[in-house]
Amino acid sequence: QVQLVESGGGLVQAGGSLRLSCATSGRTFSSDNMGWFRQAPGKEREFVGAINWSGRRTYYADSVKGRFTISRDAAKNPVYLQMNSLKPEDTAVYYCASSARYPVGSVWNTNMIDYWGQGTQVTVSS
């Protein structure tokens, strides 16, 4: 069974940092591009950023650019989302996602995703 499992969410004060991890199992994802999305209450799921299969190319939504960093070691699990300078508006459930077909270099939409994780809650207090 293919699984993406996020961890590392929690409660943090504004200005703080968190690092999310996405562990994969069931098959190898070393050739897949990986991404992160988030969904706040009452809002649609939105793209946060993505990293290509080799780890050499990343792309971020404007709202997180300069504050969030995605990384991976192509030979290993997991994929990370380092979140710095967190703001209350970053509060959401964060989802790990994979896409074998779509390149990294523009905003992904949810239709481009092959597999989703179950999500991890991030809450930023003011």
Side-chain angles (χ1 to χ4, degrees), residues 19-38:
R19 189 178 79 159
L20 306 183
S21 298
C22 173
T24 62
S25 63
R27 72 165 180 81
T28 180
F29 282 82
S30 59
S31 298
D32 291 48
N33 299 323
M34 302 294 292
W36 290 90
F37 285 71
R38 66 187 182 185

Side-chain angles (χ1 to χ4, degrees), residues 59-74:
Y59 187 85
Y60 301 95
D62 287 344
S63 59
V64 306
K65 201 172 295 182
R67 299 188 298 122
F68 290 12
T69 303
I70 300 174
S71 62
R72 73 187 299 184
D73 181 330

Side-chain angles (χ1 to χ4, degrees), residues 68-107:
F68 290 12
T69 303
I70 300 174
S71 62
R72 73 187 299 184
D73 181 330
K76 301 177 183 177
N77 264 320
V79 176
Y80 298 102
L81 176 64
Q82 177 67 44
M83 305 185 293
N84 298 329
S85 302
L86 282 161
K87 305 175 182 179
E89 51 263 44
D90 294 318
T91 295
V93 176
Y94 283 71
Y95 297 90
C96 180
S98 71
S99 178
R101 296 164 291 164
Y102 292 95
V104 173
S106 61
V107 174

